[in-house]
Amino acid sequence: MLIMPTAIAGKTDIGKKRSINEDNFHAEKINDIYLAVVCDGVGGAKAGNVASSIAVKSFADTFKESLASAISSKFDEKEKKDKKAKKDKGNKNENNVNYKDILIASVAKANGDIFAVSKENKETRGMGTTMVSCVFDGDEYYAVNVGDSRLYIVDDKNRKLNQITKDHSLVQELVDSGVLTKEQAEKSPNKNIITRVLGVEGSVDADFYRNKYASGIFLLCSDGLYNYIDENDIIKIISESDNLEFCLSQLIDKANENGGGDNITAIIIKT
């Protein structure tokens, strides 16, 4: 049986310590395709909230335009080839879209839009944002990330939280090189130093992920969530209710109870 997402929801909160929310998100079902984006602005006084807002809108708009164009093109191509060849009847990917190219191009457009605005005045100069995005089509997911906002799969059956994306951060580089353990990195005073963001330069490299999935609950979030909630609490909250809005509220409340030292944003996709 083909497993597919059935619901998507997102929520953001300013937290307990910040005077402005620099996070933004987008969560949408487009026909049978699910699109989720979380951005965490960086730069503080340098308009991180502006950067994340531009990123989310630019990315989502570019993705949807490119997707519509790709599906239309594939449909026209199929119509022309119908009399010459038959499609594989077992192929679940009816859209047959190159999501890697679309996602990478959407990241590039968002990066360029932020960079262009950042040069307009000194208040926005140097602003940037992290980004994590995930798309579901059929029984596969496709994801991109820049910075330290994350994509997880919550394995509710085995009570595990699996991180899919890898942070672009100083402590992650130290973990990769063997200087720090994962546990040491989580307690490091340098854990908020990120090494890659959108908008600060004219171009940016995004990491791409693609895989099939059989089951699980997907979570996209900013560091204001995962830095203030224990993994076991995340699993417990998400696994014990099918009400996504309730789960999101519980996650945010828990992060705030534990200090709420940053803006908090999360999107949950239920399969």
Side-chain angles (χ1 to χ4, degrees), residues 16-256:
K16 295 294 185 181
K17 305 292 185 182
R18 300 295 179 89
S19 60
I20 191 169
N21 192 345
E22 294 185 303
D23 288 2
N24 274 281
F25 75 92
H26 182 90
E28 181 180 7
K29 181 182 179 184
I30 310 165
N31 297 321
D32 292 328
I33 297 165
Y34 288 70
L35 171 65
V37 188
V38 169
C39 290
D40 178 0
V42 296
K46 293 183 181 295
N49 61 313
V50 176
S52 65
S53 178
I54 293 171
V56 165
K57 186 178 187 308
S58 176
F59 181 93
D61 287 350
T62 303
F63 175 86
K64 289 189 285 186
E65 289 169 6
S66 300
L67 176 65
S69 176
I71 291 176
S72 175
S73 176
K74 292 294 181 182
F75 179 79
D76 291 343
E77 184 179 316
K78 180 179 180 299
E79 288 285 284
K80 293 176 182 178
K81 292 181 178 179
D82 268 348
K83 294 181 181 180
K84 298 180 180 180
K86 292 183 178 180
K87 291 274 186 180
D88 177 7
K89 294 182 180 180
N91 183 10
K92 300 296 184 181
N93 185 5
E94 294 181 358
N95 291 315
N96 196 26
V97 170
N98 186 335
Y99 283 104
K100 180 177 182 179
D101 285 356
I102 292 177
L103 287 169
I104 295 298
S106 299
V107 171
K109 181 63 164 59
N111 184 82
D113 287 349
I114 298 166
F115 187 65
V117 173
S118 73
K119 296 188 294 183
E120 292 177 358
N121 59 69
K122 63 181 181 181
E123 284 76 21
T124 57
R125 197 163 299 136
M127 68 179 178
T129 182
T130 70
M131 173 179 283
V132 62
S133 177
C134 194
V135 178
F136 299 83
D137 188 349
D139 60 350
E140 288 190 319
Y141 69 84
Y142 311 82
V144 285
N145 81 302
V146 178
D148 62 354
S149 293
R150 295 177 178 176
L151 169 65
Y152 293 97
I153 296 179
V154 182
D155 182 350
D156 51 336
K157 293 180 180 178
N158 297 305
R159 310 291 287 186
K160 291 183 179 179
L161 185 66
N162 301 312
Q163 183 179 338
I164 303 303
T165 53
K166 179 180 282 191
D167 296 347
H168 301 129
S169 65
L170 175 61
V171 293
Q172 184 61 57
E173 291 180 356
L174 295 175
V175 170
D176 291 343
S177 63
V179 175
L180 293 178
T181 65
K182 180 182 176 182
E183 293 71 25
Q184 289 172 329
E186 290 174 353
K187 298 177 181 179
S188 171
N190 297 318
K191 67 180 180 180
N192 292 325
I193 300 176
I194 51 179
T195 56
R196 198 185 303 179
V197 294
L198 267 73
V200 174
E201 298 181 357
S203 62
V204 68
D205 291 328
D207 289 346
F208 174 78
Y209 309 82
R210 173 185 180 180
N211 212 338
K212 291 183 179 294
Y213 63 95
S215 63
I217 304 166
F218 289 76
L219 169 68
L220 294 84
C221 62
S222 60
D223 62 341
L225 184 78
Y226 66 74
N227 277 338
Y228 290 88
I229 305 186
D230 182 80
E231 288 191 359
N232 290 326
D233 287 333
I234 293 177
I235 296 167
K236 182 176 186 296
I237 290 170
I238 291 179
S239 300
E240 294 185 354
S241 176
D242 290 329
N243 186 322
L244 301 192
E245 296 289 350
F246 176 77
C247 290
L248 290 165
S249 294
Q250 290 291 299
L251 288 170
I252 288 172
D253 288 348
K254 191 67 175 178
N256 279 324

